[in-house]
Structures are given as C-alpha cells and as structure tokens.
Amino acid sequence: MSKKTITKFSIFVISAIAASGCGFVSSSERPAAVASRFGAPVVVGTIRSKEITESSGLVASRCQSDVLWTHNDSGDGAFIFAINTKGEVLGTWKVDGETNADWEDIATFKDKVGKCFIYIAETGNNKLKRPEHLVYRVAEPIVKPDDVRSNRGEPNATTSAESVRFTYPDFDQDAETLLVHPQTGAIYVVTKRVSGPAGVYRVKADFGSTDAPKAETVGELSVPAIPNGFLTGGDISPDGLYLIVCDYTQAYEYELPQSATGFNDIWRQEPTPIDLGPRKVGESICYSVDGSSLFATSEGDSSPVIEVKVK
C-alpha cells in the first residue's frame, strides 16, 4: 500500500471495526498461542537510500550470501534493489520490459539445477477495479561490487521478465502477500481483507501464457488481530516447514504439523504471534537463507532493518 492510500485505509478499518457483525476475531476469542520460537527483535541496520522509500516486499537470496531484495510500492518504476542486512544498498536493477502499477511483494525460488529466480507480485488493487493480476519472474541478478554505483537513473537491467496472469475464482480482491514454495515452486497469493480472514489462492505457474485462468482457492488465514485478515507480506521458510505473514505491527508464524499430508495443511493451523518491534507501516518480512532468522522492513524513509533470531 502506498503512502497516499494509508489514510483512507485507516479510516476504512476503523469504520469496519466499529460496525456490528463484521466477522473479525479478536485475540481473546481465539485459543491461546504457543510460545514463539523466536527471541526479541533487534534493529541491525537502516536503509539509507533516497530511492527506497516504501519497502513493500523483502526476500533473502538463496544464491548469494547477505543479499536481500526489496522494491517500492506503487508510484515507483519497475525497480528491484539489492541491500545487505545492514541496509546498505548493493545495486539497482530495472525489470526489463515491465512497469510497476502496484507491486506488493517479492519472493524467490532456487530450482533443481541451482538457478535462482525473483518473483514479483503485481497484485495491488486498493480500489478493487483490476480484475486481472500478474506475477513476474526474472533470473536473479548476480550482485557485483561495481553494482553499488547503479541507481534509478542509471540502473542495471534484469533478464526479460516472464509473467503469469490470473483472476480470482470468487470476487476481485487486493493482495499484498506472495509465497513461493521452496521445493515445489508452487505460487500462492494471500489477499488482504478487512471483512474477515485472508484468502489463500494457488496460481498456476504457466509462465509465458497470455491466458488469465482462475486461481485455485486452497485455504484462508486468520491471525489474532483486528482486522484478522489484513495481511501485508509473507514468506515460506527454506525447509518448507514454516510460514510467516505480517500485518502493519507484528508477525504471525504457522508450522506445518508432523501429521501433514501436504503443504495445504498449514493453512488450518493456529498462528504464533511474533514481536517485530516498532514499525512505521510494516509491509515486508522474510526468512533468512538458512531459516534461522526473520528480517523485516517498513515503508517510509530510513526504514530500520529488523532481525528476529530463533532462540
């Protein structure tokens, strides 16, 4: 969500909460959550770049050490930025041939031969007037020392982007969470709702097709907050056993049970809240490359880079 839409959404959320019969679930109405396996949040860096002002998505590279990828929300060009965990900018890339109407999240995938890809969710839909949505995919750029000189005026170029198009099977929605399963490559989009749980949809990974098939409904997520489906970012752990999502203030982790017959069993679990410390407008979160930490950023200038380590 861009800065210019935050105010109207805040008003909308407050109005929705005040209304009766809204269907929200408060934390007092849910079963008590188990203790978090994470420790306290620590600010480990600050994004000191005048070009990264709305860090709307975040993901850790699976092919390069100490590299995080982020992007701005709507209003920016089709740029992705490499930063390290201290928030230092390592380079700027323009996604070849594409635009940024309302990018909301970023994910990564390492295939069986060791090649890494960056996925970008063109799924923002604040006014609910975009019936068709996209997920882009590009080969992950290799970050070199000289790339630090690049910027939006003189960016590096990615490979040409591939895309998949989709529509929702029920009704048009806004979505700010993109998930790619680290083993199967399955693509999931999680919607952002103020009227109930967030919907989870699997998008067919048919890159290059011009069709826009309906995504498959696979579950829903309800976190112990109000609104309970107002999710703004997420990631799947590298081992595929955990799922992290966030809203503006904190994070919520889901664990795949040992009795699971497939990954879709994770949507039915109870989440564990995780403290991320103060964030201006929290829209981005990811696991570290080894799954031992969480990293989170915030929209706004000089966003902190927050790390939460497994105990």
Side-chain angles (χ1 to χ4, degrees), residues 37-61:
R37 65 193 185 101
F38 289 92
V42 177
V43 175
V44 294
T46 302
I47 300 178
R48 301 198 181 280
S49 169
K50 294 181 180 179
E51 296 189 331
I52 306 174
T53 57
E54 295 185 87
S55 180
S56 185
L58 188 72
V59 73
S61 172

Side-chain angles (χ1 to χ4, degrees), residues 108-128:
T108 190
F109 177 66
K110 186 176 183 179
D111 69 14
K112 293 181 180 179
V113 299
K115 185 176 181 179
C116 282
F117 295 88
I118 297 293
Y119 291 65
I120 303 164
E122 177 66 278
T123 56
N125 192 20
N126 292 334
K127 296 181 180 180
L128 302 181

Side-chain angles (χ1 to χ4, degrees), residues 8 13 20 40 56 66 86 113 141 145 177 185 195 209 237 273-274 277-278 291-292:
K8 68 179 181 181
V13 170
S20 61
S56 185
D66 197 26
K86 295 180 181 179
V113 299
T177 303
S195 58
S209 173
S237 64
I274 299 170
S292 65

Side-chain angles (χ1 to χ4, degrees), residues 55-69:
S55 180
S56 185
L58 188 72
V59 73
S61 172
R62 302 277 166 82
C63 283
Q64 303 173 88
S65 62
D66 197 26
V67 173
L68 304 175
W69 293 96

Side-chain angles (χ1 to χ4, degrees), residues 7-31:
T7 301
K8 68 179 181 181
F9 257 90
S10 299
I11 294 173
F12 183 43
V13 170
I14 293 171
S15 299
I17 293 171
S20 61
C22 62
F24 295 159
V25 180
S26 70
S27 58
S28 62
E29 296 172 322
R30 298 179 62 88

Side-chain angles (χ1 to χ4, degrees), residues 253-277:
E253 189 177 52
Y254 294 77
E255 182 177 2
L256 192 67
Q258 293 183 353
S259 60
T261 58
F263 186 72
N264 282 338
D265 288 347
I266 203 167
W267 317 120
R268 296 190 291 272
Q269 307 310 306
E270 290 294 328
T272 301
I274 299 170
D275 179 23
L276 296 177

